[in-house]
Amino acid sequence: MAQKPSIPKGTRDFNPQEVAKRNYIFNTIRGAFETFGFQPIETPSFENSETLMGKYGDEGDRLIFKILNSGEYYSKFQEDIIKIIFQILKHNQQYLIKVDKGEINFEDESGMSDIADDFRKITKSEINNFLNKNFSESRFSNDHFIDDEFIEVVTSEVGGSVEKLNLFITLDDNHLDRISQSVFSKYYQNIKTQYITPYISEKALRYDLTVPFARYVVQHQNEIEFPFKRYQIQPVWRADRPQKGRFREFYQCDADVVGSTSLWQEVEFIQLYDTVFSALKLEGVTIKINNRKILSGIAEVIGASDKLIDFTVALDKLDKIGEDKVKEEMLSKGISEAGISKLQPLFTLSGSFESQIESLKGILSTSKEGKKGIEELAFINEAISELGLTTATLQLDVTLARGLNYYTGAIFEVAAPKTVQMGSIGGGGRYDDLTSIFGMKDVLSGVGISFGLDRIYLVLEELGLFPETVNKNVDVLFINFGDKEALFCLKAIKQLRSEGINTELYPEADKMKKQMNHANKRNIPFVVLVGEEEIKSNSYTLKNMVSGEQFKIPLAELINHIK
Amino acid sequence: MAQKPSIPKGTRDFNPQEVAKRNYIFNTIRGAFETFGFQPIETPSFENSETLMGKYGDEGDRLIFKILNSGEYYSKFQEDIIKIIFQILKHNQQYLIKVDKGEINFEDESGMSDIADDFRKITKSEINNFLNKNFSESRFSNDHFIDDEFIEVVTSEVGGSVEKLNLFITLDDNHLDRISQSVFSKYYQNIKTQYITPYISEKALRYDLTVPFARYVVQHQNEIEFPFKRYQIQPVWRADRPQKGRFREFYQCDADVVGSTSLWQEVEFIQLYDTVFSALKLEGVTIKINNRKILSGIAEVIGASDKLIDFTVALDKLDKIGEDKVKEEMLSKGISEAGISKLQPLFTLSGSFESQIESLKGILSTSKEGKKGIEELAFINEAISELGLTTATLQLDVTLARGLNYYTGAIFEVAAPKTVQMGSIGGGGRYDDLTSIFGMKDVLSGVGISFGLDRIYLVLEELGLFPETVNKNVDVLFINFGDKEALFCLKAIKQLRSEGINTELYPEADKMKKQMNHANKRNIPFVVLVGEEEIKSNSYTLKNMVSGEQFKIPLAELINHIK
């Protein structure tokens, strides 16, 4: 069957030129990571679902690509569920079956209101007995009892109307809230069956590199010598709505250190950003820095510690909507007029890093946490002033609030030169505790940064900063005049290749014009022609495809000429 | 919630040493690919399911990792199905609902035997009306009518026994055969519900690099200048049962040429294998070659053209079970005694490539195709004899029969040196038509080879062939005696890094012994100590961690010493 080929939306093919350009960026980043003492690790493309789920918030969970279990797992599960449903329907009765961590709750009453809080608990073996008694073959084995999940089957005939007959299969951990809220109160109309997912999928594509790294650190803690500086350059996948510059498969380039709270790490990460962007000849990059403690301090000072997110979201809009609208938004979120007036110096914060620090000292004089944040920022700024940056600029930006859910200290974001319309091309920060979610006893502080490959690519492209030599193209094509000539050529080609010269023999003895066209279309700079005469004189006619010049020379000279 | 972290079976984490060793192999292969004129492409990790399914046989289809659709797609589908089921059950009647390409067949009778061939056809809008009439909200929108698939819901009460009540949801294109054979004849007992897959999954992880390459060539045919020499080094995923040396995620390293039938390609691929394994210092590799036309020719000569696979499977066992058992197996597969006797020279085939060719000429004198195969092999062998191989040996192996489903000419397989117990470490061959499955009009012949990264890794490890310099470890660690000293160090570190020296500052001013231990545990060869005295004299104490030697030297000397 002929198919019109295409690729899934949000994914990309890369042709040789694109691969070469991407590798140029990867290699630059990798080289800098290594001179800074970071070492590479790689983790699998897919992780167990429980490693990823619940780490990125509800929205993140939805955007994780889940992998369907292989084999007949789903099929068996489906059959079992269907059998139970039929058994229930056969008896024309109401049941609540809850399969939860080795326990099954089984309800057989007619009063709907009783279901939620009054059911008889039965054990796994009881349900197995039940299934064995009622069905010729029970496949309801232990396999189906996954930790922290359950199956729930409810049938009901609400208000005696057959029209309202409903069936629900929910398989989610947080069921009870949903059941009581959205289901029971709304005659079950809003129930969703997506919670079947854990039964048909146990693996998922990695969503970022940080969570797999945390998992790696905990799993291999006994092999790792801390502080551990690792880098990781691998693709990640997100089921985001694809749009310009946002893809469903894209690379992240991360460097992190875990096991040290030293602020020298922050200093070195700023140097690392500067090193990479300088090596890429991308001048005029701004490395913005903020500190979570500054934001918490401000929120504390204005009596809005419980509104940290509302407050920072509003503050973040200062550039776009101006001071008055920001204040308006803060008021509407319940931040007091008195609190906002304390912020006044913040709205006019500008000038050098040092003068901003001075203003912040005034604003945050009553907040212990805020003062700690100022201290950290001042330390980092002084070190960077002493050490100097090559092409980048360090800028304090108190409106910077990315990753507030996990960053606890420094927050970084890198802005492309102002001449280019582009969001951030890098970001990162410090997190106090990466590994406790995976059961690690020792609290490991970490700090890390990430480079946005795709955006850096677009910036370099727009500014024409890819070096001309980035394409490892073929250096020379040998024209094919027939088998005897081809064999003679291949002896020379073997030599050229061993000298690292990218060399090709045109495979067929096609018309010379066609072969020359092939060289032209592929921008191959040199062509070698070998006919009877050349074989006789053991020489090669080298043609420069740009200048048109042409020489008959021996092999050693040919190699020197092309090299 | 604390979790014990692990990774899915069949997948691997790679630590810095392993990454370095793998990259050594990748870089060697990549370098050779490029000197031979191959250019890199990359394709997405997942493809549309229809791109992959049906390309690897039934077994392959099962081993493809499918990705669950994101969003609520499945949920809606599930709800609709459930509603239909309930509607049917509500009436206590028998229905056959077949939703197929915009047509719905709806059956409402009691005679089971009538279902298959006698139902009234209704349209999509009729089913929508039906659903709208019967349910408050019909979600049975056009979304659910996917080409080439259908939903089928059957309920039946066979023999009047309620126990036999069954429900089937089948979603497979080839339903009718299954329905009539396994379902109707066996009272539906063998129906499987796995055919729901196309409804909940439309993407799948790539299974190899060849099919995505074919898709790439067809999709981008207008941008490609043929003959097209591409290489691709990317991971693939297979839901195989994991075992020693077989993983669910592993890399393939493929080089292919499409658009030329020239045998010089085969010659060059043999050179390419030789170049890579020589560069890896893996001597004693055997490149086995055969030709599909030889096998077809032999089968033709012995009157078993229809038994090519049986014949080659038996022949393949010659080494293991010996001549007599092979003959026995061929007989048992229906190959005639007369035919087998014609094979006699084959069983004693040995010696040089040339003498084997001579024997084959005798055996295949009556087969046109066989003679073509001999010609091709002889051409390749003569060229390689002229050109010479560096460390590998080319061997004709008429029992080599890999990839008979797709290879049409040359078949390659590379065996590791005999001192190592290992299967093939590479393979490939020529295929006549890669792209017609994707609707390409021009028939494009291709030939390609693949390197087995994981097995090559194991072989190099076993033979101790990884160079000592393979680990890009940290070159020097600066001991941290406090903030003042650290800042002084970082100025030097900046210089060292710009010289390409991998350098680290120990982040905390911990006890010196702890810092020295850290350097030792990580096998860092040099340590630099900077105290008050060094700062005063603007010098650095460099300690060689292996010899224990120690010098106080200025920065320029420090750099020279470590470099």
Side-chain angles (χ1 to χ4, degrees):
Chain A
M1 175 184 52
Q3 301 168 329
K4 201 178 103 203
S6 66
I7 52 176
K9 59 180 179 181
T11 68
R12 293 165 290 173
D13 283 330
F14 297 109
N15 68 30
Q17 289 72 40
E18 290 162 335
V19 172
K21 286 178 179 171
R22 288 164 60 87
N23 283 342
Y24 165 71
I25 302 174
F26 286 134
N27 290 337
T28 304
I29 294 173
R30 187 180 292 118
F33 283 171
E34 292 188 352
T35 61
F36 274 73
F38 293 90
Q39 295 202 278
I41 69 160
E42 288 179 15
T43 61
S45 296
F46 48 74
E47 296 271 350
N48 292 322
S49 295
E50 64 261 31
T51 299
L52 304 183
M53 298 298 281
K55 309 299 190 297
Y56 308 101
D58 283 352
E59 176 65 8
D61 277 1
R62 261 194 299 278
L63 300 183
I64 290 171
F65 277 114
K66 287 107 190 157
I67 294 172
L68 210 54
N69 289 341
S70 46
E72 312 255 312
Y73 192 90
Y74 171 73
S75 164
K76 281 181 197 157
F77 164 72
Q78 176 89 340
E79 281 179 53
D80 290 334
I81 287 292
I82 288 169
K83 281 180 179 171
I84 294 174
I85 295 166
F86 268 79
Q87 191 62 26
I88 292 164
L89 295 170
K90 197 179 72 179
H91 291 295
N92 257 333
Q93 282 166 333
Q94 289 188 133
Y95 287 83
L96 178 80
I97 300 177
K98 181 166 172 273
V99 183
D100 190 8
K101 289 202 198 183
E103 227 178 35
I104 291 189
N105 304 310
F106 203 89
E107 170 80 4
D108 185 356
E109 298 190 14
S110 56
M112 203 59 227
S113 58
D114 298 331
I115 287 179
D117 24 71
D118 179 16
F119 41 65
R120 184 172 67 84
K121 296 203 171 191
I122 60 172
T123 61
K124 242 203 266 195
S125 63
E126 276 185 274
I127 192 94
N128 271 324
N129 288 341
F130 165 81
L131 291 165
N132 285 327
K133 211 173 72 187
N134 288 282
F135 305 101
S136 56
E137 184 197 356
S138 167
R139 290 199 196 77
F140 225 102
S141 66
N142 282 336
D143 294 346
H144 294 111
F145 296 82
I146 296 169
D147 277 359
D148 303 321
E149 288 156 4
F150 65 93
I151 305 167
E152 186 155 21
V153 182
V154 181
T155 72
S156 79
E157 198 173 316
V158 178
S161 159
V162 182
E163 294 295 331
K164 291 278 185 190
L165 198 66
N166 279 293
L167 164 72
F168 304 106
I169 304 170
T170 69
L171 297 167
D172 186 66
D173 195 23
N174 309 309
H175 74 297
L176 276 178
D177 283 350
R178 288 204 193 82
I179 294 288
S180 54
Q181 287 164 24
S182 57
V183 184
F184 281 16
S185 63
K186 292 179 186 174
Y187 300 95
Y188 299 135
Q189 280 177 12
N190 291 329
I191 266 291
K192 292 190 180 137
T193 50
Q194 70 190 59
Y195 309 122
I196 208 165
T197 304
Y199 277 83
I200 58 177
S201 166
E202 290 164 342
K203 292 181 287 291
L205 291 174
R206 97 184 131 230
Y207 180 83
D208 72 356
L209 301 178
T210 307
V211 168
F213 173 52
R215 193 267 309 145
Y216 179 97
V217 168
V218 177
Q219 191 173 332
H220 302 281
Q221 52 185 293
N222 297 326
E223 308 147 33
I224 294 172
E225 166 66 15
F226 293 98
F228 181 44
K229 297 175 78 168
R230 88 84 171 80
Y231 77 85
Q232 199 170 348
I233 300 180
Q234 290 195 282
V236 302
W237 295 267
R238 296 184 183 179
D240 245 324
R241 190 181 297 274
Q243 47 181 258
K244 195 173 179 298
R246 195 200 278 167
F247 304 99
R248 294 188 146 188
E249 172 174 44
F250 58 97
Y251 267 77
Q252 289 192 335
C253 313
D254 282 17
D256 290 78
V257 193
V258 284
S260 161
T261 56
S262 164
L263 289 173
W264 289 112
Q265 320 273 18
E266 275 83 341
V267 172
E268 290 200 75
F269 276 120
I270 293 164
Q271 290 186 299
L272 178 54
Y273 268 136
D274 180 51
T275 301
V276 168
F277 291 118
S278 299
L280 292 172
K281 311 268 185 286
L282 182 59
E283 299 183 8
V285 152
T286 305
I287 303 166
K288 297 180 191 172
I289 186 170
N290 194 10
N291 194 302
R292 158 68 174 252
K293 297 183 181 103
I294 300 275
L295 293 170
S296 303
I298 297 172
E300 182 190 336
V301 163
I302 64 171
S305 284
D306 56 332
K307 299 193 179 73
L308 180 61
I309 301 289
D310 286 338
F311 159 71
T312 51
V313 165
L315 190 61
D316 188 39
K317 294 178 184 164
L318 188 57
D319 270 359
K320 281 168 225 137
I321 64 176
E323 185 179 330
D324 291 344
K325 296 255 174 171
V326 167
K327 285 179 179 169
E328 226 170 79
E329 180 167 330
M330 287 183 178
L331 268 176
S332 79
K333 294 290 181 183
I335 297 171
S336 74
E337 192 111 30
I340 293 171
S341 72
K342 283 189 195 157
L343 287 179
Q344 197 51 47
L346 211 61
F347 292 119
T348 51
L349 212 61
S350 68
S352 70
F353 205 113
E354 292 77 15
S355 66
Q356 286 196 57
I357 290 278
E358 285 313 308
S359 307
L360 284 173
K361 278 183 184 164
I363 301 171
L364 294 172
S365 60
T366 59
S367 162
K368 199 178 154 194
E369 193 174 5
K371 284 195 284 188
K372 183 87 177 63
I374 292 173
E375 221 170 84
E376 292 184 10
L377 281 175
F379 178 91
I380 293 164
N381 181 51
E382 278 157 34
I384 290 295
S385 301
E386 274 288 322
L387 294 164
L389 295 178
T390 308
T391 61
T393 311
L394 181 65
Q395 190 181 76
L396 174 55
D397 181 354
V398 290
T399 68
L400 184 61
R402 65 184 283 153
L404 275 191
N405 291 330
Y406 37 93
Y407 291 141
T408 52
I411 303 172
F412 296 114
E413 189 169 283
V414 181
K418 288 183 188 68
T419 48
V420 191
Q421 291 287 332
M422 185 64 66
S424 73
I425 55 176
R430 178 172 287 277
Y431 34 88
D432 269 350
D433 177 11
L434 185 66
T435 46
S436 66
I437 38 166
F438 294 114
M440 184 128 166
K441 276 182 222 140
D442 302 335
V443 171
L444 279 184
S445 180
V447 53
I449 62 171
S450 190
F451 288 82
L453 185 270
D454 289 303
R455 287 186 173 177
I456 294 171
Y457 185 103
L458 291 173
V459 170
L460 296 189
E461 194 74 292
E462 188 172 333
L463 297 177
L465 293 176
F466 282 112
E468 276 188 31
T469 54
V470 78
N471 277 318
K472 267 302 265 173
N473 198 354
V474 167
D475 301 307
V476 53
L477 177 76
F478 279 65
I479 301 297
N480 187 336
F481 287 110
D483 285 346
K484 194 178 136 214
E485 291 82 359
L487 186 61
F488 182 85
C489 287
L490 273 174
K491 288 176 187 172
I493 288 171
K494 192 175 164 184
Q495 292 292 316
L496 267 67
R497 286 174 176 162
S498 74
E499 298 280 344
I501 298 168
N502 296 352
T503 314
E504 252 185 78
L505 168 70
Y506 193 89
E508 327 265 354
D510 281 339
K511 282 193 182 133
M512 183 165 148
K513 196 179 165 191
K514 187 175 174 191
Q515 299 190 45
M516 296 302 273
N517 273 343
H518 184 73
N520 269 326
K521 278 185 192 156
R522 292 183 50 205
N523 293 314
I524 299 176
F526 293 104
V527 151
V528 173
L529 303 111
V530 172
E532 211 169 312
E533 204 187 314
E534 280 86 358
I535 295 180
K536 231 182 266 169
S537 61
N538 199 20
S539 60
Y540 303 81
T541 295
L542 175 70
K543 181 173 176 150
N544 183 318
M545 295 297 279
V546 183
S547 67
E549 283 178 301
Q550 180 161 323
F551 324 86
K552 204 159 97 184
I553 45 180
L555 182 57
E557 223 173 295
L558 181 75
I559 291 173
N560 284 334
H561 203 96
I562 298 172
K563 249 186 146 172
Chain B
M1 172 186 52
Q3 301 169 329
K4 202 178 102 203
S6 66
I7 51 176
K9 60 180 178 180
T11 69
R12 294 164 289 172
D13 283 329
F14 297 108
N15 67 30
Q17 290 71 42
E18 290 162 336
V19 172
K21 286 178 180 171
R22 288 163 62 87
N23 282 342
Y24 164 71
I25 302 173
F26 285 134
N27 291 337
T28 305
I29 293 172
R30 188 180 293 118
F33 282 171
E34 291 188 353
T35 61
F36 274 72
F38 292 91
Q39 295 203 279
I41 68 160
E42 289 179 13
T43 62
S45 296
F46 48 74
E47 297 271 350
N48 293 322
S49 295
E50 64 260 32
T51 298
L52 305 183
M53 299 298 283
K55 310 299 191 299
Y56 307 102
D58 284 351
E59 176 66 7
D61 277 0
R62 262 194 299 278
L63 299 184
I64 291 172
F65 277 113
K66 286 108 190 156
I67 294 172
L68 210 54
N69 289 343
S70 46
E72 312 255 311
Y73 191 89
Y74 171 72
S75 164
K76 282 182 196 155
F77 164 73
Q78 175 89 341
E79 284 179 49
D80 291 333
I81 288 292
I82 287 169
K83 281 182 177 170
I84 295 174
I85 295 166
F86 270 78
Q87 191 61 25
I88 293 164
L89 295 169
K90 197 178 72 179
H91 292 294
N92 258 332
Q93 282 167 331
Q94 290 186 133
Y95 287 82
L96 179 78
I97 301 178
K98 182 167 171 269
V99 183
D100 189 8
K101 290 201 195 182
E103 227 179 35
I104 290 188
N105 304 308
F106 203 88
E107 170 80 5
D108 184 358
E109 295 192 16
S110 56
M112 203 59 228
S113 59
D114 297 331
I115 287 180
D117 24 70
D118 179 16
F119 42 65
R120 183 172 67 86
K121 296 203 173 192
I122 60 172
T123 62
K124 241 202 265 193
S125 62
E126 276 185 276
I127 191 96
N128 271 325
N129 289 340
F130 165 80
L131 290 165
N132 285 327
K133 211 173 71 185
N134 289 282
F135 304 101
S136 55
E137 185 198 355
S138 166
R139 290 198 197 76
F140 223 103
S141 67
N142 283 334
D143 295 345
H144 294 110
F145 297 81
I146 294 169
D147 277 0
D148 302 323
E149 289 157 1
F150 65 92
I151 304 166
E152 186 153 22
V153 182
V154 181
T155 72
S156 79
E157 198 175 316
V158 177
S161 158
V162 182
E163 294 295 333
K164 291 277 185 188
L165 197 65
N166 277 293
L167 164 72
F168 304 106
I169 304 171
T170 68
L171 297 167
D172 188 66
D173 195 24
N174 309 311
H175 74 295
L176 276 178
D177 283 350
R178 288 207 191 80
I179 293 290
S180 53
Q181 286 164 25
S182 56
V183 184
F184 282 16
S185 64
K186 290 179 187 175
Y187 299 95
Y188 299 135
Q189 281 178 10
N190 290 330
I191 267 291
K192 292 192 179 135
T193 51
Q194 71 191 57
Y195 307 122
I196 207 164
T197 303
Y199 276 83
I200 57 175
S201 166
E202 290 163 343
K203 293 182 285 293
L205 290 173
R206 95 184 133 232
Y207 180 85
D208 73 355
L209 302 178
T210 306
V211 169
F213 173 53
R215 193 266 310 145
Y216 180 96
V217 168
V218 177
Q219 192 173 331
H220 302 281
Q221 53 186 293
N222 296 326
E223 308 147 34
I224 294 171
E225 166 67 15
F226 294 98
F228 181 44
K229 297 174 78 167
R230 88 85 173 79
Y231 77 85
Q232 198 171 349
I233 300 180
Q234 292 194 280
V236 302
W237 295 268
R238 295 185 183 178
D240 245 325
R241 190 181 297 274
Q243 47 180 259
K244 195 171 178 301
R246 194 200 279 169
F247 304 100
R248 293 187 147 191
E249 171 175 45
F250 59 98
Y251 267 77
Q252 288 192 334
C253 313
D254 281 18
D256 290 77
V257 193
V258 284
S260 161
T261 56
S262 163
L263 289 174
W264 288 112
Q265 319 272 21
E266 276 82 341
V267 172
E268 290 201 75
F269 277 120
I270 293 163
Q271 290 186 298
L272 178 53
Y273 269 136
D274 180 50
T275 300
V276 168
F277 290 117
S278 299
L280 292 172
K281 311 267 185 285
L282 182 60
E283 300 183 7
V285 152
T286 305
I287 303 165
K288 298 180 189 171
I289 186 170
N290 195 10
N291 194 303
R292 157 69 173 252
K293 298 182 180 102
I294 300 274
L295 293 169
S296 303
I298 295 171
E300 181 190 335
V301 163
I302 63 171
S305 286
D306 56 331
K307 299 193 178 72
L308 180 59
I309 301 289
D310 286 338
F311 158 72
T312 53
V313 164
L315 190 61
D316 188 39
K317 295 178 185 163
L318 188 56
D319 270 0
K320 281 167 225 138
I321 63 177
E323 183 179 332
D324 290 345
K325 296 255 174 173
V326 168
K327 286 181 178 167
E328 225 169 80
E329 179 168 331
M330 288 183 178
L331 268 177
S332 78
K333 295 288 181 184
I335 296 169
S336 72
E337 193 111 33
I340 293 170
S341 73
K342 284 190 194 155
L343 287 178
Q344 197 52 46
L346 211 59
F347 293 120
T348 51
L349 211 58
S350 68
S352 70
F353 205 114
E354 293 76 14
S355 67
Q356 287 196 58
I357 290 279
E358 285 312 309
S359 306
L360 284 173
K361 279 184 184 164
I363 300 171
L364 294 171
S365 60
T366 59
S367 162
K368 198 179 154 193
E369 193 174 4
K371 283 197 283 189
K372 183 85 178 65
I374 293 173
E375 222 171 82
E376 292 183 10
L377 281 175
F379 178 90
I380 294 164
N381 181 51
E382 277 158 33
I384 290 295
S385 301
E386 274 287 321
L387 294 165
L389 295 178
T390 308
T391 61
T393 311
L394 181 66
Q395 191 181 77
L396 174 55
D397 181 354
V398 290
T399 68
L400 183 61
R402 65 183 283 153
L404 274 192
N405 292 331
Y406 37 93
Y407 291 141
T408 51
I411 303 172
F412 297 114
E413 190 170 281
V414 181
K418 290 185 187 66
T419 48
V420 190
Q421 290 289 330
M422 185 64 66
S424 74
I425 54 176
R430 179 172 287 278
Y431 35 88
D432 269 349
D433 178 12
L434 185 65
T435 46
S436 65
I437 38 165
F438 294 113
M440 186 127 166
K441 274 180 223 141
D442 302 335
V443 171
L444 280 184
S445 179
V447 54
I449 62 171
S450 191
F451 289 83
L453 185 271
D454 290 304
R455 286 186 173 176
I456 294 171
Y457 186 103
L458 292 172
V459 170
L460 296 190
E461 194 75 291
E462 186 171 336
L463 297 177
L465 292 176
F466 282 111
E468 276 188 29
T469 54
V470 79
N471 277 318
K472 266 303 265 174
N473 199 354
V474 168
D475 300 308
V476 53
L477 177 75
F478 279 65
I479 301 297
N480 187 337
F481 287 110
D483 285 347
K484 195 179 134 212
E485 291 82 359
L487 186 61
F488 183 86
C489 286
L490 273 175
K491 288 176 187 171
I493 288 171
K494 193 175 162 183
Q495 292 292 317
L496 266 68
R497 286 174 177 162
S498 74
E499 298 280 345
I501 298 169
N502 296 351
T503 314
E504 252 185 77
L505 169 71
Y506 193 88
E508 328 264 356
D510 281 340
K511 282 194 181 132
M512 183 163 148
K513 195 179 167 193
K514 186 174 174 192
Q515 300 190 45
M516 297 301 274
N517 272 344
H518 184 73
N520 269 327
K521 277 186 192 156
R522 293 182 50 205
N523 293 315
I524 299 175
F526 292 104
V527 151
V528 173
L529 304 110
V530 172
E532 213 167 311
E533 204 187 315
E534 280 86 358
I535 295 181
K536 233 181 265 170
S537 61
N538 199 19
S539 60
Y540 303 82
T541 296
L542 176 70
K543 181 175 176 148
N544 183 319
M545 294 297 280
V546 183
S547 68
E549 282 177 301
Q550 177 163 326
F551 325 86
K552 203 158 96 184
I553 45 178
L555 182 57
E557 224 173 293
L558 182 75
I559 291 172
N560 284 334
H561 203 96
I562 299 171
K563 249 185 145 174

